[in-house]
Amino acid sequence: AELRQAKEALKAKMNTRTDIKDVADTDQLGVEQFVLRTRPEAELLGLSLGGIMAQVRAGFFGEEVQSLQRGADEVKVWVRYPRDERARTEGLLDMRISTPQGNSYLLRDLVTVDEQVGTLAINHLEGQREIRVEANVANVLVSAPAVIGDIEASYLPEIMDQYPSITYSVEGQQRDAFKMGGAMGTVGPVILLFILGLVILNFNSFSQAFIVFGLFPFALIGVILGHWIQGTPLNVFSFVGTIALIGVFVNNSLVFISTLNQKLQEGVDWQAALRATAASRFRPILLTTVTTVAGLAPLLASSSLGAQFLKGPAIAIAYGLSFGLFNVLLLLPAMLHLSNGARQLWSRLLRRSTVNARQVEPAVRSMAYRMED
């Protein structure tokens, strides 16, 4: 009873909001029904609730008393009360119940009758009775997490104080976001460490690997700006697109640094190699970005309901790649140039040796070590 009262209180408050619509719940009520409970007198007469209900069922639903064969057909004969008696509440209360001793008594003298509304379904969550209150956002510009946070802060504390025997949990998209966040918090660091290890082994350099990973926060700027420009709130699907974006972003950075290292090993000067690498990677990165954004443009421009679920990943990838042009072609070379200057300073101050910009690069040093071996 308290659970239903709390549900109605929450629905009443939610129906006053203009940013949500279609407020509903899963507490499905059925038809009116009579609940019978035996009196002490019935137990003294040797009657149980099951025995009484068997006689009630036989009187109102019927009982088969004979089966007749007519040619190829079988005709069953059922006996029950007339239709008008079965349609009246008094007909139920005035029916006579037989005792094991052969006597009969009115049903109203043997049981108490409560008129209630039946329940079509009883739902449970983690072994406890639950009623789910659901709603849809009024339009795609409304942030579901923001609405849920406001409901939790404004309405639920008062309802929890009024009905202390109940608890609540947030389900739906919010639960999916929490689950994904928990999974990313557990598996994400392991995957990132694995990728970091592969990058270090490939470049034979900690600094270049950390530069690639240091660009991740700048890639997220494009995702956030894209959602702001499109007027779409960040959701759990946006994080899926962000994961895909990071994969493309890392690939572009790895190819850029691999090309740079290859030119350095060929004997090209540091400044010339950096400029040549940026020039050679400009066209492939630009074409990849343009073709991807062009392919996602119809989805970004669509206002249909079905497209809204895919709009988050599309925004993350399209705007993230567009902003990635700046990251890979400008920010990455700048960070590599700063890293090169730091190596030269380290070599002059601590190792007391003067080397040029090309000689301090890990690719050139590893090539020199291999030639000495």
Side-chain angles (χ1 to χ4, degrees):
E2 287 193 3
L3 187 59
R4 283 189 169 134
Q5 293 172 10
K7 176 256 298 184
E8 293 297 335
L10 178 59
K11 287 180 60 179
K13 293 181 179 296
M14 292 175 63
N15 280 319
T16 61
R17 301 179 66 97
T18 58
D19 50 3
I20 56 177
K21 62 180 181 179
D22 304 330
V23 180
D25 63 81
T26 58
D27 186 24
Q28 303 180 33
L29 299 180
V31 298
E32 294 185 0
Q33 63 184 14
F34 295 111
V35 178
L36 307 184
R37 296 181 177 87
T38 56
R39 297 177 184 269
E41 294 86 345
E43 298 177 359
L44 294 175
L45 293 173
L47 293 172
S48 64
L49 183 60
I52 293 176
M53 290 306 301
Q55 295 188 47
V56 172
R57 184 182 188 278
F60 282 79
F61 181 76
E63 185 173 355
E64 183 181 350
V65 296
Q66 193 176 9
S67 177
L68 304 176
Q69 191 72 30
R70 290 186 177 179
D73 300 326
E74 181 183 10
V75 179
K76 296 182 178 181
V77 180
W78 286 70
V79 176
R80 58 185 177 184
Y81 291 136
R83 183 185 298 272
D84 57 344
E85 292 294 327
R86 289 185 279 121
R88 297 187 306 112
T89 303
E90 295 298 325
L92 171 65
L93 299 178
D94 291 340
M95 76 171 293
R96 304 195 69 86
I97 303 296
S98 299
T99 65
Q101 295 78 20
N103 301 321
S104 63
Y105 298 88
L106 293 177
L107 179 64
R108 67 172 73 244
D109 296 331
L110 301 175
V111 299
T112 58
V113 181
D114 294 328
E115 187 174 352
Q116 300 179 0
V117 178
T119 302
L120 294 181
I122 298 178
N123 302 314
H124 290 83
L125 178 65
E126 297 179 355
Q128 292 184 334
R129 177 78 178 271
E130 62 94 7
I131 296 177
R132 186 173 304 170
V133 179
E134 303 172 338
N136 295 320
V137 294
N139 55 72
V140 297
L141 300 180
V142 177
S143 173
V147 173
I148 294 175
D150 187 40
I151 291 175
E152 285 189 283
S154 303
Y155 306 150
L156 288 173
E158 179 184 349
I159 296 177
M160 293 298 103
D161 292 339
Q162 189 175 358
Y163 304 100
S165 65
I166 68 172
T167 59
Y168 78 91
S169 63
V170 178
E171 307 293 323
Q173 188 181 116
Q174 190 84 346
R175 181 182 178 93
D176 293 338
F178 286 148
K179 290 173 64 177
M180 177 169 288
M184 292 180 63
T186 304
V187 183
V190 178
I191 296 177
L192 290 177
L193 287 175
F194 180 73
I195 296 176
L196 179 63
L198 292 179
V199 174
I200 292 174
L201 291 176
N202 182 49
F203 291 153
N204 196 22
S205 169
F206 285 93
S207 61
Q208 291 181 343
F210 284 117
I211 288 175
V212 173
F213 274 67
L215 294 177
F216 285 176
F218 297 96
L220 298 179
I221 296 177
V223 177
I224 297 173
L225 285 177
H227 283 79
W228 178 72
I229 294 173
Q230 292 286 139
T232 302
L234 285 165
N235 53 44
V236 63
F237 302 106
S238 303
F239 291 106
V240 177
T242 303
I243 295 173
L245 170 66
I246 289 177
V248 178
F249 189 75
V250 170
N251 181 67
N252 289 337
S253 301
L254 293 183
V255 173
F256 186 98
I257 297 178
S258 296
T259 304
L260 174 64
N261 291 339
Q262 182 179 357
K263 291 184 179 298
L264 291 173
Q265 291 176 352
E266 292 174 355
V268 182
D269 180 67
W270 164 252
Q271 295 288 348
L274 193 60
R275 288 194 297 267
T277 302
S280 64
R281 294 308 306 161
F282 175 76
R283 180 181 296 177
I285 294 177
L286 179 62
L287 291 177
T288 301
T289 302
V290 171
T291 54
T292 303
V293 173
L296 295 174
L299 186 58
L300 296 176
S302 176
S303 59
S304 64
L305 180 62
Q308 304 309 314
F309 298 99
L310 299 175
K311 211 163 187 177
I315 293 174
I317 295 175
Y319 284 88
L321 284 179
S322 300
F323 195 78
L325 283 172
F326 166 79
N327 290 335
V328 177
L329 297 177
L330 294 178
L331 188 59
L332 178 59
M335 295 181 68
L336 289 172
H337 188 74
L338 292 175
S339 175
N340 180 269
R343 291 195 190 94
Q344 293 185 65
L345 181 62
W346 174 274
S347 180
R348 286 196 300 267
L349 295 180
L350 297 181
R351 297 185 178 181
R352 304 295 182 180
S353 61
T354 302
V355 291
N356 57 37
R358 175 180 173 274
Q359 292 174 335
V360 298
E361 284 299 308
V364 177
R365 287 186 172 182
S366 62
M367 182 182 67
Y369 292 149
R370 289 195 299 268
M371 293 178 62
E372 291 178 0
D373 294 339

